[in-house]
């Protein structure tokens, strides 16, 4: 009879702890390998614990602000600069936090880790003040999902910023920077409007993304239909309708260029929601520009001869390193890594 | 999602099956456990079911990776439960009565694809404080301070074997806190415990 899953997990934990001691003998190493090969149940149990143990390396940030070797009592580490408040561990159902806290904190001023933690807190707190208008923003390399009280969902891409206001007549999101994907809950009484300058993208129940690049606005529709309008004084002038699979481009609302793609292509262009970017025969220079949206360490092409190299594949958006290494493997391209940037040259 | 400090960094091209499993499947654990808890009334079997689902998914993925890991996991879960009910290994009326529930929409149960890195950090940090005291000390020194096990033993004045034992316990508790379903636990602030005894008792009574 097979041993129970709990027994297997206990054995996997023993092996992991033994290996973690750094003192596995050659015999033990072979025994571990044999144990892993003996059954898939053993292997998956080990992968699971190993993954958790490795991720626990992130706990290092808790030690910030404490003396080495010091053992704080439970809760004490939260005084470290990485945990400026205790709100992060409170579920949203507890007492509403002070209203001022829901306003934008100066995110750029603090470290990346702290920033993402604070962002999570702001997310929870801002929800409580939704109707009064709230701002959400993400740092470079971070995407964040925000549920809206009307049942819609907004996913913010890297380095993006929106302001949200829900009233009885309109659900309004102002895209101030970057890109956001909207899954709109159908509500005929309250159109869902994404505003960028004088441009309005109006949806009823649909899924679409709006991306702002300098003065270019791009609208990708993966489901349903949206209308693009221009606000001129009190008038709302309709410019274009875009159906699923459509991509609309405009600068300042002086006409909209539309393109129809298979819906799968539009979905691919939205792969950032799961952390990936997808390229199909994309010139390297464009791929690099895209990657650079997600990475603080810029990738730079120093050699014009490689700029037009065509790239295809899925890549982790916020991992410029891996992208550069894969380029080295697949093309005659050499990457030089420094703290501030990754330089690409022909081999 | 914060991908910057993610150890899972890898182009999809050259990824081992193990890494794929850790990246795509483990983050679904909380949703999977919620699904199992809703449809399978024998609580004591859930750990076992979860394990068997992982085995099936891993073995299938060894042949070819599913395009949608999420729907693959939930389909596997549903098939496994259906199999168990049909094979009569479960005679419990409650379990069969709830067969309908197997068809609930997966998306309804797992609206989030995966927890963000900051949620994971927050979960880990919170779990850290709920470890039994000595276990917490060991994990703290090992993970936060990055001390090797031998040094942890010296610092705490315990044997290296005892350190290893605490890590054995700690890693299981951290995995549960990280991947598992927070909501289904007895209380978010309750101390974490390894539940071997419970499982062993059930084994004996089966």
């Amino acid at each position: 009879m097979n041993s129970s899953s709990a027994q297997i997990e206990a054995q996997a934990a023993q092996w992991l702890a033994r290996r973690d001691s750094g003192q596995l003998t050659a015999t033990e190493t072979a025994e571990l390998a044999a144990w892993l090969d003996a059954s898939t149940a053993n292997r998956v149990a080990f992968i699971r614990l190993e993954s958790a143990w490795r991720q626990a390396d992130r706990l290092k940030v808790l030690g910030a602000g404490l003396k080495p070797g010091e053992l704080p009592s439970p809760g004490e580490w939260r005084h470290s600069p990485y945990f400026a408040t205790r709100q992060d561990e409170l579920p949203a159902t507890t007492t509403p936090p002070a209203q001022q806290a829901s306003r934008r904190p100066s995110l750029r001023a603090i470290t990346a880790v702290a920033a993402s933690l604070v962002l999570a807190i702001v997310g929870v707190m801002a929800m409580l003040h939704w109707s009064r208008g709230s701002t959400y923003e993400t740092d470079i390399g971070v995407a964040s999902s925000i549920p809206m009280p009307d049942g819609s969902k907004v996913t913010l891409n890297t380095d993006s910023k929106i302001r949200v206001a829900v009233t009885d007549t309109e659900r309004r999101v102002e895209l101030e920077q970057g890109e956001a994907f909207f899954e709109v809950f159908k509500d005929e009484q309250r159109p869902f409007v994404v505003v960028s300058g004088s441009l309005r993208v109006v949806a009823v129940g649909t899924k679409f993304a709006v991306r702002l690049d300098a003065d270019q606005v791009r609208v990708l529709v993966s489901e349903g239909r949206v209308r693009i309008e221009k606000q001129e004084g009190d008038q709302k002038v309709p410019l274009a309708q875009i159906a699923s699979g459509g991509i609309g481009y405009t600068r300042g609302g002086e006409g909209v260029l539309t393109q129809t793609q298979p819906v799968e292509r539009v979905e691919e262009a939205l792969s950032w929601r799961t952390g990936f970017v997808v390229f199909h025969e994309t010139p390297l220079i464009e791929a690099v520009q895209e990657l650079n949206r997600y990475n603080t360490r810029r990738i730079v092409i120093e050699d014009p001869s490689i700029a037009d190299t065509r790239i295809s594949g899925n890549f982790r958006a916020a991992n410029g390193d891996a992208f550069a290494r894969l380029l080295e493997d697949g093309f005659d391209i050499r990457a030089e890594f420094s703290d501030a940037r990754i330089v690409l040259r022909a081999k | 999602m914060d991908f910057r400090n993610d150890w899972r960094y890898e182009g999809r091209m050259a990824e081992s099956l193990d890494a794929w499993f850790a990246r795509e499947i483990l983050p679904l654990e909380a949703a999977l456990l919620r699904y199992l808890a809703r449809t399978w009334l024998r609580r004591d079997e859930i750990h076992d079911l979860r394990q068997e689902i992982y085995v099936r998914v891993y073995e299938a993925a060894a042949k070819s990776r599913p395009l949608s890991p999420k729907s693959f996991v939930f389909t596997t879960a549903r098939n496994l439960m259906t199999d168990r009910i049909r094979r009569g290994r479960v005679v419990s009326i409650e379990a069969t009565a709830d067969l309908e529930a197997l068809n609930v929409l997966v998306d309804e149960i797992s609206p989030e694809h995966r927890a963000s890195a900051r949620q994971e950090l927050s979960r880990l940090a919170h779990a850290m404080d709920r470890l039994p005291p000595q276990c917490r000390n060991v994990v703290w020194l090992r993970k936060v301070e990055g001390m090797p096990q031998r040094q942890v033993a010296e610092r705490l004045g315990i044997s290296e074997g005892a350190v290893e034992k605490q890590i054995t316990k700690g890693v299981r508790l951290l995995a549960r806190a990280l991947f598992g379903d927070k909501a289904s636990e007895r209380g978010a602030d309750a101390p974490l415990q390894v539940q071997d005894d419970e499982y062993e008792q059930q084994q004996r009574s089966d």
Side-chain angles (χ1 to χ4, degrees):
Chain A
M1 192 188 145
N2 291 333
S3 22
S4 85
S5 56
Q7 282 164 350
I8 292 175
E9 188 183 300
Q11 285 167 9
Q14 275 161 20
W15 273 118
L16 187 115
R18 182 74 197 128
R19 197 184 64 174
D20 182 72
S21 72
Q23 295 175 44
L24 272 191
T25 63
T27 321
E28 283 173 326
T29 308
E31 277 171 18
L32 171 57
W35 183 81
L36 288 172
D37 287 340
S39 84
T40 309
N42 292 356
R43 182 170 291 274
V44 291
F46 192 80
I47 295 171
R48 178 172 172 274
L49 295 181
E50 190 186 32
S51 171
W53 191 238
R54 205 165 354 170
Q55 291 189 54
D57 286 339
R58 295 205 188 114
L59 288 167
K60 274 204 174 63
V61 301
L62 302 187
L66 294 169
K67 285 192 222 81
E70 189 183 346
L71 281 166
S73 44
E76 217 183 300
W77 47 263
R78 293 199 192 85
H79 302 305
S80 86
Y82 288 95
F83 290 82
T85 80
R86 296 190 51 158
Q87 302 292 350
D88 60 295
E89 51 164 354
L90 297 176
T93 48
T94 50
T95 350
Q99 191 183 341
Q100 59 180 43
S102 75
R103 301 298 165 205
R104 281 178 293 157
S106 58
L107 288 181
R108 309 275 166 190
I110 36 186
T111 68
V113 173
S116 19
L117 283 167
V118 172
L119 207 73
I121 301 160
V122 173
V124 169
M125 297 196 289
M127 259 160 46
L128 302 169
H129 302 281
W130 190 270
S131 56
R132 280 172 245 176
S134 314
T135 302
Y136 300 85
E137 56 188 312
T138 47
D139 253 342
I140 293 177
V142 182
S144 181
S145 275
I146 304 149
M148 291 177 56
D150 68 332
S152 301
K153 191 169 114 184
V154 183
T155 308
L156 270 188
N157 200 357
T158 174
D159 199 17
S160 301
K161 187 169 163 187
I162 55 169
R163 183 185 299 276
V164 179
V166 174
T167 66
D168 289 343
T169 54
E170 192 176 80
R171 296 170 285 171
R172 181 187 171 93
V173 176
E174 284 170 41
L175 179 66
E176 299 189 2
Q177 184 183 318
E179 178 171 14
F181 178 73
F182 305 94
E183 289 159 83
V184 179
F185 187 81
K186 194 161 184 160
D187 183 350
E188 310 260 1
Q189 306 306 313
R190 289 189 296 177
F192 191 101
V193 185
V194 180
V195 180
S196 170
S198 63
L199 209 67
R200 295 165 48 88
V201 180
V202 186
V204 179
T206 180
K207 297 185 184 177
F208 67 105
V210 180
R211 169 169 169 172
L212 184 60
D213 268 326
D215 64 336
Q216 188 200 64
V217 177
R218 205 169 80 170
V219 181
L220 295 91
V221 182
S222 68
E223 197 182 300
R225 181 183 288 272
V226 302
R227 184 171 71 239
I228 303 183
E229 302 172 342
K230 189 173 178 166
Q231 180 90 43
E232 288 179 349
D234 289 346
Q235 297 287 310
K236 288 166 191 145
V237 184
L239 295 176
Q241 289 256 7
I242 301 177
S244 66
I247 303 179
Y249 303 84
T250 181
R251 285 184 195 277
E254 302 303 319
V256 178
L257 174 70
T258 57
Q259 218 183 27
T260 308
Q261 298 264 5
V263 174
E264 305 84 75
R265 276 296 164 94
V266 173
E267 285 287 340
E268 277 176 9
L270 296 169
S271 306
W272 56 264
R273 289 173 292 152
T274 47
F276 284 90
V277 288
V278 182
F279 301 128
H280 289 282
E281 296 289 312
T282 307
L284 180 59
I285 183 136
E286 287 175 24
V288 162
Q289 279 165 2
E290 189 66 18
L291 261 289
N292 281 344
R293 288 176 71 201
Y294 300 85
N295 292 280
T296 43
R297 180 150 76 152
R298 319 290 295 174
I299 304 177
V300 183
I301 301 177
E302 287 234 323
D303 212 331
S305 69
I306 59 171
D308 199 41
T309 308
R310 301 292 158 137
I311 309 292
S312 301
N314 297 344
F315 302 91
R316 281 225 168 257
N319 192 357
D321 279 29
F323 178 72
R325 294 218 168 84
L326 287 166
L327 287 178
E328 285 195 303
D329 292 342
F331 300 93
D332 284 334
I333 290 175
R334 191 160 45 94
E336 281 163 25
F337 299 84
S338 67
D339 285 347
R341 46 191 220 151
I342 301 171
V343 177
L344 303 178
R345 292 199 178 84
K347 244 180 211 160
Chain B
M1 289 159 272
D2 185 336
F3 309 108
R4 285 167 304 187
N5 298 312
D6 196 332
W7 61 268
R8 293 173 290 199
Y9 273 1
E10 252 170 306
R12 265 189 186 170
M13 296 173 175
E15 187 178 45
S16 74
L17 180 58
D18 289 9
W20 173 85
F21 188 87
R23 179 169 63 77
E24 293 292 340
I25 306 301
L26 294 178
L28 299 169
E29 185 165 312
L32 177 62
L33 290 178
R34 275 199 298 279
Y35 178 54
L36 294 176
R38 244 169 79 166
T39 43
W40 199 258
L41 299 179
R42 296 187 57 171
R43 286 295 160 103
D44 52 311
E45 293 180 351
I46 285 180
H47 193 274
D48 225 39
L49 277 172
R50 196 260 288 151
Q51 172 103 314
E52 203 171 329
I53 291 160
Y54 280 0
V55 168
R56 288 189 179 193
V57 168
Y58 185 93
E59 286 176 350
K63 292 176 199 121
S64 118
R65 311 253 167 109
L67 286 175
S68 166
K70 186 165 103 178
S71 49
F72 189 69
V73 165
F74 285 91
T75 307
T76 307
R78 190 168 55 210
N79 293 343
L80 177 63
M81 288 190 279
T82 316
D83 284 358
R84 282 207 176 184
I85 290 167
R86 292 219 178 104
R87 271 183 305 168
R89 273 183 61 183
V90 174
V91 283
S92 147
I93 287 164
E94 304 97 298
T96 39
D98 215 36
L99 195 55
E100 293 260 299
L102 295 183
N103 296 318
V104 294
L105 280 174
V106 166
D107 279 339
E108 191 186 306
I109 294 160
S110 72
E112 289 302 315
H113 178 61
R114 57 170 59 109
S116 69
R118 60 176 170 270
Q119 283 168 333
E120 284 170 1
L121 177 62
S122 168
R123 275 187 176 204
L124 277 168
H126 190 54
M128 181 85 171
D129 271 0
R130 293 154 62 212
L131 295 175
Q134 187 69 320
C135 181
R136 179 176 177 277
N137 290 343
V138 167
V139 174
W140 181 279
L141 294 173
R142 181 77 193 87
K143 282 293 165 183
V144 182
E145 299 277 339
M147 282 185 189
Q149 283 191 19
R150 180 176 292 176
Q151 217 177 315
V152 173
E154 278 167 28
R155 165 73 176 76
L156 294 174
I158 57 178
S159 71
E160 287 179 52
V163 168
E164 212 174 287
K165 213 167 168 184
Q166 295 297 343
I167 288 178
T168 304
K169 195 193 287 179
V171 69
R172 296 179 68 184
L173 296 173
L174 288 177
R176 181 143 45 98
L178 186 62
F179 304 125
D181 186 6
K182 217 172 166 183
S184 75
E185 282 170 24
R186 270 162 286 188
D189 284 312
L192 293 167
Q193 288 166 354
V194 174
Q195 292 169 336
D196 282 338
D197 299 346
E198 289 173 35
Y199 289 115
E200 277 160 18
Q201 278 164 17
Q202 281 147 16
Q203 278 283 307
R204 280 194 293 273
S205 66
D206 275 353

